[in-house]
Amino acid sequence: ATGYQAQTIHRMLEISGALDEDKTMGGFGRNEENPLEADVVIIDEVSMVDIQLMNSLLKAITVGMRLIL
């Protein structure tokens, strides 16, 4: 409806499939050092988002960006 492609939060945050040095799944490419480039982010079905994923999402949001849950 918006004209933009929908995607999962994991894909939007550019999940890394690589293992880090302690053999755990790597983090996200989008974070506080490399934030998302958008004016508005809309998250549907937010009740399905766990606390770790929400934390990663909030780190990738910049001041002034709108987050619609």
Side-chain angles (χ1 to χ4, degrees):
T2 65
Y4 292 94
Q5 181 181 5
Q7 56 188 295
T8 65
I9 299 170
H10 292 83
R11 182 170 290 176
M12 178 179 62
L13 295 178
E14 300 174 5
I15 190 166
S16 170
L19 297 177
D20 56 19
E21 59 273 352
D22 63 350
K23 303 286 190 227
T24 59
M25 184 65 83
F28 294 101
R30 296 294 184 159
N31 52 42
E32 59 273 9
E33 296 172 6
N34 184 25
L36 293 168
E37 296 175 14
D39 295 323
V40 178
V41 174
I42 302 170
I43 305 295
D44 187 22
E45 306 241 359
V46 72
S47 65
M48 302 297 290
V49 179
D50 66 23
I51 193 75
Q52 291 87 4
L53 185 56
M54 182 58 77
N55 183 48
S56 295
L57 173 63
L58 293 176
K59 286 180 180 180
I61 300 290
T62 59
V63 174
M65 187 182 296
R66 295 184 186 247
L67 178 61
I68 300 173
L69 306 174

